[in-house]
Amino acid sequence: VCFVSCRSLNMDFENQDKEKDNSSAAGSFNGNSTNNSIQTIDSTQALFLPIGASVSLLVMFFFFDSVQVVFTICTAVLATIAFAFLLLPMCQYLTRPCSPQNKISFGCCGRFTAAELLSFSLSVMLVLIWVLTGHWLLMDALAMGLCVAMIAFVRLPSLKVSCLLLSGLLIYDVFWVFFSAYIFNSNVMVKVATQPADNPLDVLSRKLHLGPNVGRDVPRLSLPGKLVFPSSTGSHFSMLGIGDIVMPGLLLCFVLRYDNYKKQANSDSCGAPGPGNISGRMQKVSYFHCTLIGYFVGLLTATVASRIHRAAQPALLYLVPFTLLPLLTMAYLKGDLRRMWSEPFHSKSSSSRFLEV
């Protein structure tokens, strides 16, 4: 999912004059609207994000029965919007030959293209089928939509912020998986992640007294805050939280942007060689592929550790070292560590094309 998210979100942006000339034809995927909707995480937000996540986890742990219906509805709405965003490029491709890209007005609701209406309709249909069946494949599809949307609209500006964020979330993950049972007499992370919620249709039928057989046969819902994978025997499910996908995915997007920036800088300087103590083969290794391989190895290690210990494992305990340490080492050897750590990097020429992730 990280690889698909990073590669599928590559977009070419022209200079400001061309963007203004083509803004009417660019639709919902033009550069201005994308940049305006992107949220860049700063150092303060990176430090306080694990604290906010801990508070949310405790609220879900202590008050789940009281807020489960509201939380289910909010999650379904967010999943609908995220999956519609994921389906939109495909719908644009399908509707381009048979319909113009003119927007249809829906009054106060806004104006939408045929592709946007189609993607939203398909997303609503998928969510409704998931609510009726509770099938794990549909839940995984919605979770993937959430992952892609979060990676598309959140950005890490520097390696410093990346290290702060991933290190804080590593401590958060380890504490709530390994040490929360000593304080709360229960594994808080596992209980919240595995606890199913009442189906809104069942709750609605009971509130409206629609009868004993109306809405009572719908299953309880496992919320799409994770990906689940059935075992070979089908007796249990393994799970991976979307945070374990999104946070390394943000790091992958950051290093992919830096790879493209460095490629452009090298082309502007007529292919100037790197530091003398680094071989040409090392210079050709991209930070993206180094980090992606580290993510794969870390995920594989987490899976093996879970099978060996037969207990839930904090995936970030393995993902963070296997992604950050090779990246920091390679950046130091290539002489890019200082620039990646804190200095912003931008396209040098405003008239040239640059790749934005």
Side-chain angles (χ1 to χ4, degrees), residues 172-181 187-190 312-315:
Y172 156 85
D173 212 11
V174 170
F175 173 79
W176 289 112
V177 172
F178 285 153
F179 300 104
S180 60
N187 192 318
V188 176
M189 181 74 78
V190 173
Q313 296 290 310

Side-chain angles (χ1 to χ4, degrees), residues 136-274:
W136 65 271
L137 273 176
L138 299 177
M139 187 191 71
D140 281 1
L142 297 176
M144 290 178 188
L146 287 171
C147 290
V148 173
M150 292 173 69
I151 293 176
F153 293 107
V154 180
R155 175 179 297 171
L156 295 175
S158 65
L159 190 56
K160 174 185 175 181
V161 176
S162 303
C163 290
L164 286 174
L165 179 64
L166 290 174
S167 299
L169 290 174
L170 168 62
I171 298 172
Y172 156 85
D173 212 11
V174 170
F175 173 79
W176 289 112
V177 172
F178 285 153
F179 300 104
S180 60
Y182 297 104
I183 301 175
F184 302 99
N185 296 321
S186 178
N187 192 318
V188 176
M189 181 74 78
V190 173
K191 183 175 181 181
V192 171
T194 58
Q195 189 168 5
D198 287 339
N199 196 302
L201 296 179
D202 185 21
V203 176
L204 184 64
S205 66
R206 285 191 274 108
K207 292 291 184 181
L208 299 179
H209 305 286
L210 297 179
N213 296 324
V214 179
R216 300 300 175 85
D217 56 344
V218 291
R220 301 191 74 191
L221 297 176
S222 183
L223 301 181
K226 55 189 176 295
L227 296 178
V228 296
F229 312 93
S231 63
S232 57
T233 60
S235 58
H236 67 280
F237 284 83
S238 300
M239 67 180 67
L240 180 69
I242 62 173
D244 303 323
I245 301 172
V246 171
M247 297 307 163
L250 295 178
L251 179 65
L252 283 167
C253 286
F254 166 74
V255 296
L256 183 58
R257 292 203 319 274
Y258 187 84
D259 281 334
N260 292 313
Y261 158 79
K262 190 175 180 182
K263 185 184 299 183
Q264 180 188 359
N266 289 339
S267 64
D268 292 342
S269 60
C270 299

Side-chain angles (χ1 to χ4, degrees), residues 28-29 82-96 101 113-120:
S28 60
F29 277 87
F83 201 75
F85 170 77
L86 181 62
L87 292 176
L88 185 55
M90 181 191 70
C91 293
Q92 287 180 324
Y93 176 79
L94 294 175
T95 59
R96 187 179 294 116
Q101 295 300 314
T113 63
E116 291 170 342
L117 294 175
L118 178 60
S119 66
F120 184 74

